[in-house]
Amino acid sequence: MTEKGIFDLSGKVALVTGGGIGLGRVFCQALAEFGADVACADINREWAEETVALIEKFGHRTLVTMADVSKPEEVQSMIAATVAELGSIDILVNNAGITTKPAKFHEMPIEDWDRLMAINLRGVFLCMRAALPVMIRQQRGCIINISSVLGLVGLDPEIASYGNYGAAKAGVVALTRQGAADYGRDGIRVNAIAPGWHTGTRISASWRSEWPAEREQRYHQLITERTPLGRRGEAGELKGLIIYLASDASSFVTGQVFVQDGGWSAL
Ligand SMILES: NC(=O)c1ccc[n+]([C@@H]2O[C@H](COP(=O)([O-])OP(=O)(O)OC[C@H]3O[C@@H](n4cnc5c(N)ncnc54)[C@H](O)[C@@H]3O)[C@@H](O)[C@H]2O)c1
């Protein structure tokens, strides 16, 4: 294998949840570009089909599979469809996630807490739970969980209070560490990416559209000012990390959290 070959994903099958848009679409593109067959799972068929149309040019097999990650039976069907159509699951990217309207804990609607936990934390558990038997059978596999820098540090409430989101993303870190401990001897690596603020996605779009222009402007200004690199990341800048973690380049790496946040958490 050449040195460049350590990033090659030819012959591997990747499944990306929430692959229809945003970071998930970037992950699908990167994985296909480096040789993987890619299953794109989402609740939005139109977006998932758009992603698949974008990656077909790389010449590998693709699949659109519909699944709400908070629903066990849909997750099981997504895993079964991927194995039936593409033959295995070597790389699982647990990317699907949401935010709810910012609120401090004492003002947070309980339904917002429950809905977010169901998708951002329970969803990751359900997808790991369903994919792991396939990976154990294969005695190989790689799980990449998408956490957030907000799972590692708190946030100035002048920007926003995202306590339920941070709690879920911290839980994703714990799932990652315990997953690495439990399945290392089955040849399965489990790592997490904790992105900071990235553009090119629709997360928060539903409730942020209700903000007045000045609130939106202030939000961006505070984020940019507080970030050592002085800007938000672009979704495409996460390609390097996903390929590193999905490939043999990280063959001895497991149970780790990789932060990409322009220095946000260094302060
Ligand atoms: N954008 C950022 O700056 C940022 C920063 C840190 C972490 N993240 C995390 O990255 C992941 C992707 O976020 P994004 O910014 O690309 O968001 P996005 O809203 O642009 O995309 C999320 C995708 O997930 C899908 N989805 C939502 N609920 C789902 C469900 N129940 N089941 C299956 N699919 C579902 C959506 O349809 C969409 O395609 C999330 O886990 C998010 O928390 C994003």
Side-chain angles (χ1 to χ4, degrees):
M1 190 191 287
T2 65
E3 286 305 307
K4 276 186 183 167
I6 59 173
F7 297 106
D8 186 16
L9 301 177
S10 302
K12 302 210 171 180
V13 174
L15 167 62
V16 180
T17 68
I21 214 161
L23 304 189
R25 176 173 285 179
V26 165
F27 297 147
C28 289
Q29 286 175 314
L31 293 162
E33 192 171 347
F34 279 72
D37 297 328
V38 174
C40 174
D42 212 288
I43 44 170
N44 186 315
R45 179 173 290 279
E46 202 182 318
W47 291 351
E49 282 174 354
E50 272 172 29
T51 294
V52 160
L54 284 170
I55 65 178
E56 264 160 7
K57 64 176 180 221
F58 298 113
H60 310 296
R61 293 180 301 162
T62 56
L63 176 72
V64 167
T65 170
M66 302 303 296
D68 178 337
V69 295
S70 68
K71 301 201 169 130
E73 57 294 349
E74 294 189 19
V75 168
Q76 287 293 350
S77 305
M78 167 187 85
I79 298 294
T82 306
V83 174
E85 294 290 322
L86 303 178
S88 67
I89 301 175
D90 302 296
I91 301 156
L92 168 67
V93 184
N94 283 314
N95 165 79
I98 61 162
T99 57
T100 55
K101 213 170 175 171
K104 292 185 181 177
F105 293 122
H106 71 286
E107 293 166 334
M108 184 177 291
I110 293 171
E111 52 273 24
D112 281 4
W113 173 274
D114 288 343
R115 191 162 67 88
L116 184 137
M117 286 293 159
I119 296 170
N120 290 16
L121 184 56
R122 185 176 195 254
V124 176
F125 158 68
L126 290 176
C127 291
M128 288 176 70
R129 184 176 183 278
L132 277 161
V134 177
M135 293 182 172
I136 293 167
R137 252 192 329 271
Q138 297 170 170
Q139 288 290 289
R140 66 167 198 280
C142 161
I143 297 176
I144 304 166
N145 292 329
I146 307 305
S147 176
S148 164
V149 74
L150 298 182
L152 307 174
V153 297
L155 184 60
D156 179 348
E158 200 185 341
I159 300 175
S161 288
Y162 287 125
N164 55 348
Y165 183 82
K169 293 300 187 181
V172 169
V173 170
L175 283 171
T176 302
R177 296 211 169 110
Q178 194 57 44
D182 284 348
Y183 302 103
R185 284 176 177 76
D186 292 300
I188 300 165
R189 300 186 296 109
V190 189
N191 290 292
I193 296 178
W197 307 93
H198 285 71
T199 58
T201 86
R202 287 182 56 89
I203 202 158
S204 311
S206 58
W207 53 261
R208 278 222 330 258
S209 60
E210 293 166 17
W211 274 359
E214 315 80 71
R215 176 70 175 94
E216 181 73 11
Q217 208 179 348
R218 182 84 182 123
Y219 180 77
H220 288 291
Q221 186 195 350
L222 288 167
I223 289 169
T224 308
E225 279 173 7
R226 198 197 167 281
T227 303
L229 286 181
R231 64 176 176 87
R232 299 177 74 164
E234 285 167 27
E237 291 181 274
L238 282 159
K239 280 187 177 179
L241 263 183
I242 201 85
I243 296 304
Y244 169 67
L245 289 173
S247 68
D248 287 347
S250 61
S251 52
F252 197 51
V253 177
T254 195
Q256 304 306 309
V257 182
F258 291 80
V259 180
Q260 173 169 310
D261 66 354
W264 178 276
S265 57
L267 303 183

